[in-house]
Every structure is written in C-alpha cells, then in structure tokens.
Amino acid sequence: MTTNTGGRVDVGAEPIDPDYPVTPVPPHARKSFGSLAVVLLGFTIFTPTMLAGAQLGPAFGFGELLLVILAGSAILGTYVALMGYVGARTGLTTVVMARYSFGNRGSKLASILLGGTQIGWYGVVVGTIGDLTAEAAGWDSYAAKATIMVLTSVLMCVTACYGYRGMYWVSLVSTPLILVLAVWVVVRSLDEVGGLSGLFDVEPTATMALSVAITTVVGTFVSAGTQAPNWTRFGRSGSQAVWACLIGFLVGNGLMILFGAIGAITFGEGDFVLVLYNLGLVGWGVFLLFGNLWKSNADTAYAFGVAGAELFEKPSKTPFVVGGSVIGTVLALTGVQNHLIDYLGLLGTFIPPLGGVIIADFFLRWRRGIPAELTPPAFDVRNVATYAVASALAYWSKEAEVGIPPVIGIVVAVIVAVALDRTRTERVATP
C-alpha cells in the first residue's frame, strides 16, 4: 500500500511518537489479529454502554428490545468494520485519512468533530466513576466526588500517553472484570423475575420512539467507532480489521447494552447505579467498573490525542492527550454525565455522515493505494458539501422522528459522494 500524510510529514523520518499519529504504521509495527481483537473488545466492553441499555430497557418489551439492540448493533458493527478496513489498508488514523477525503484544511472539520466529541465522552466516563464511587461509599460531599474524578482522570491520561501497548495490557485485565460483573447482573436479575420466561412477561414502564432507541444504540460507540482506524491501522490485513471490529462493536457493544437493559427491566429502573444497589452489588460493582472504565477512557484520550496531533500538525499526541483530559475532567465536574441520552443522540446524528464520506471516498479513489507524491488540496469541496447535506438530512430525521438518523446520514453520504465523484475531471493515478 503506497501512502503519504498529505505532504506535511516526512514518512521516511523516525516519528517522535512511536504510535505514528500522523504517519502510516510501518509493516514492522503491525500487530496480530489476537492483539487487535483484545484492544477493540476491551474498548467496547464499557460500563456507560450498560447505562444506555438501562435507559432503553424499561421502554420496551424484552422481545422488541432484542430487535432494537440487534438492529442498532448491526448498523454500528457494519459501519465500524468498513472504517476499520480503511484503517488497516492505509495505516492511517481517521483524521489523517480525512486529509484525502476533505483536503488538508477540510480535514480540520474531522479533527475538531471527532476530537471534541471524544473529550465530551471522556468527561461522561470520569463523571460516571465519581458518581458510582460516591454512591458506593455513601459520600454526600462534592469535594470527595471531585477528588475521585481528578485522580482517576490522571491515571487514564497517563495510560493513554503510553499508547497502543499500554492499552493492550490494561485491556487484558479489565475486559474479564467487566464481563464478570455483567454476567453477575444478568444471573441475579433473572432470579428476580423467575427466569427468561419471566423476563419476557415484564411490561414496559416507560416510552421511547423506536428511531430514538436505535439511534441510542448506534450512538453509544459511533464516535469512537468512526475512529476505529486509530487501532486497526496496526492490523496486518483488512480482513483482520473487519473481524476484530465485528467482535468488538457488533458482539461486545451489543452484549453490554443487553446486560444493562436486563438489569433495568427487572427492577424497572433506568439508573444503572440504582440497579446495582437493588442487586446488592455496588461495592464489588464499583471495583470492577473502575477497571473497565480505566481502559476504555484511556482509549478515548488516545483518540482525541491523535485528533489534536493532526489538527495542529504535530508529530506527538501526548500534549493533546493531557490537554483534552483536563477539559474532559472539567466537564465531568460540571455534570456532563447527566445528559447521556441527549449526547448520544447528537453523536448518532453528526458523526456517521463523516465516516460515510471517508468510506465512500476510499473505495472510489484510494482502494488501490495513495500515491506517495500526492499532496491533497486545501479543501475537497465535493466531500465537504456531501457531509453538510448528509448531516442536515440526518438532523432532520432526528427532529422529525422519521427513519433512523445514523443510517440516513451514512447512506446519504455514500450516495451523494458517489454522485459527485462522477463530476470529477481530475483522476488520481493509483499504483
């Protein structure tokens, strides 16, 4: 695969950052399928996803809920697998790949959008840890909660600075911990309602539009999933990346939503902290949740770190990991975690069209390679316009409650990108 990084970085030079945030990952640094699957599964085995499931559970009968989770997870898994394929084939992060789709200046849109939303998500997780710990310990003091948030944020930030290797080893430990908690919740919940048949007999106690529910499932990881190339670029082949993404985002993410929903259906409670209280699992729950959240939020910090490196055209992600972590912690201290569903709705509306453009553009123009001598223009007007149209229609879909906004955003982006590509007079000679 021939590629460069937009003419701004010497690919032949030794990068300052060993994670190659603005250059292609060279063959000698590529990882095995097992390593890739561990990192991506550890990324999606994520506690706030259970919180999203807990808010979906009381709004549907169990049979309908399974269809919602399956539909949302299928959309998310397919989308992320395609993004992951692009990353493995190019060796580039999402925001660097965006240089070829949107232009050197147009790619700043992707860096700001993806980096900014990940900082917000980082704040959600830090705030969730503070809330869970305070609930478990019976603390009413804001100062105590704030101290926990700051200390855990420092730990996550340091892990992200170590890059892929640090996240791999933390994932090996944290993923089994959260799976133990999830299975524990399911077993205890089924005991409460008389088994699986009793679960199907529980009547909904809340309401939620079907399109909002599916968008919520997609929104849990659509922002992070759009940045799957940040990790799959370490894969040795496109097929490895696809399977690793399906394991993580279709299976792992879907199960976490289901586990959270089961606990909520059983107790008729949309707050996962209270579900843990009802199950008598808060003490151990917080311990297990912390191990999981540590890894997942380190991934998040890594994502906004590489986005910052691209945005400011720097060879190291570390300053941006630190800066984004500080901003995310401040957001947590102000209670950003209390607006999870609204936040997921925004992610599920405005992020998928961005990935849709990158996917379509890759298969239209770059699937055979990116010429090393190519310097992208400042703006690719066609693709910027495509994103604007797809995002506007996805937002209309959300507001009008017509269709499924993430699907509309992706499909419209692909269709418009294909249509406008036919108007290109310039053609890039690929290897």
Side-chain angles (χ1 to χ4, degrees):
M1 182 84 183
T2 303
T3 189
N4 74 358
T5 57
R8 294 194 294 256
V9 178
D10 181 4
V11 176
E14 182 67 23
I16 294 176
D17 192 315
D19 275 275
Y20 309 93
V22 292
T23 59
V25 177
H28 74 268
R30 299 293 178 116
K31 310 295 183 181
S32 68
F33 170 75
S35 172
L36 204 60
V38 165
V39 169
L40 289 175
L41 187 60
F43 191 28
T44 58
I45 301 297
F46 182 51
T47 307
T49 304
M50 296 177 73
L51 179 61
Q55 297 192 31
L56 292 176
F60 300 94
F62 190 64
E64 189 176 15
L65 175 70
L66 291 177
L67 294 177
V68 168
I69 295 174
L70 180 61
S73 297
I75 294 168
L76 181 64
T78 301
Y79 167 71
V80 175
L82 289 171
M83 288 298 301
Y85 179 84
V86 172
R89 288 292 307 278
T90 63
L92 299 173
T93 66
T94 303
V95 290
V96 174
M97 186 62 203
R99 293 178 183 175
Y100 299 99
S101 295
F102 296 98
N104 278 332
R105 297 301 175 192
S107 67
K108 305 309 179 190
L109 167 69
S111 297
I112 293 171
L113 187 62
L114 293 176
T117 55
Q118 287 300 96
I119 289 174
W121 190 243
Y122 183 93
V124 168
V125 175
V126 170
T128 299
I129 288 179
D131 289 344
L132 286 169
T133 305
E135 292 278 2
W139 295 337
D140 295 324
S141 167
Y142 175 78
K145 185 188 298 187
T147 300
I148 293 297
M149 292 182 189
V150 171
L151 291 177
T152 55
S153 179
V154 169
L155 181 61
M156 294 165 181
C157 176
V158 170
T159 303
C161 289
Y162 275 98
Y164 185 99
R165 185 175 182 179
M167 291 182 291
Y168 169 75
W169 286 107
V170 174
S171 185
L172 278 179
V173 176
S174 67
T175 301
L177 291 179
I178 195 63
L179 287 175
V180 167
L181 174 64
V183 172
W184 198 358
V185 169
V186 170
V187 171
R188 293 290 301 275
S189 297
L190 291 177
D191 286 342
E192 292 288 330
V193 294
L196 189 60
S197 60
L199 191 62
F200 276 94
D201 292 335
V202 176
E203 295 293 329
T205 58
T207 58
M208 181 181 292
L210 187 63
S211 61
V212 173
I214 294 176
T215 300
T216 299
V217 174
V218 176
T220 53
F221 260 94
V222 72
S223 178
T226 300
Q227 300 190 77
N230 295 350
W231 298 278
T232 63
R233 64 199 174 98
F234 288 94
R236 293 171 181 164
S237 69
S239 61
Q240 280 188 354
V242 167
W243 283 109
C245 287
L246 289 176
I247 289 172
F249 288 84
L250 177 60
V251 178
N253 192 64
L255 284 176
M256 293 307 291
I257 293 174
L258 178 62
F259 292 155
I262 288 175
I265 290 173
T266 303
F267 294 97
E269 176 57 65
D271 186 332
F272 188 66
V273 175
L274 296 181
V275 171
L276 290 176
Y277 258 127
N278 288 329
L279 290 171
L281 302 179
V282 174
W284 280 105
V286 169
F287 172 75
L288 297 176
L289 294 175
F290 175 76
N292 168 252
L293 292 172
W294 173 15
K295 161 61 175 61
S296 296
N297 231 26
D299 284 335
T300 302
Y302 181 92
F304 59 66
V306 297
E310 196 287 328
L311 180 62
F312 293 97
E313 301 179 20
K314 300 296 183 181
S316 176
K317 68 183 182 301
T318 302
F320 306 102
V321 170
V322 174
S325 298
V326 171
I327 297 172
T329 304
V330 171
L331 291 174
L333 294 172
T334 63
V336 68
Q337 66 275 14
N338 298 321
H339 306 282
L340 179 63
I341 293 298
D342 291 338
Y343 187 69
L344 293 179
L346 290 174
L347 296 185
T349 301
F350 292 107
I351 300 296
L354 185 72
V357 173
I358 292 175
I359 291 168
D361 193 58
F362 171 80
F363 284 102
L364 287 168
R365 297 197 292 162
W366 313 118
R367 66 184 182 278
R368 295 181 181 177
I370 301 173
E373 70 279 3
L374 176 67
T375 298
F379 290 94
D380 189 303
V381 177
R382 292 174 180 82
N383 284 338
V384 171
T386 296
Y387 174 75
V389 170
S391 293
L393 288 175
Y395 181 75
W396 169 82
S397 170
K398 175 179 178 293
E399 294 299 303
E401 297 186 1
V402 175
I404 302 170
V407 176
I408 289 175
I410 295 169
V411 171
V412 170
V414 170
I415 292 173
V416 175
V418 171
L420 292 183
D421 184 71
R422 296 177 181 275
T423 68
R424 294 182 187 274
T425 55
E426 77 285 358
R427 288 291 164 184
V428 177
T430 54

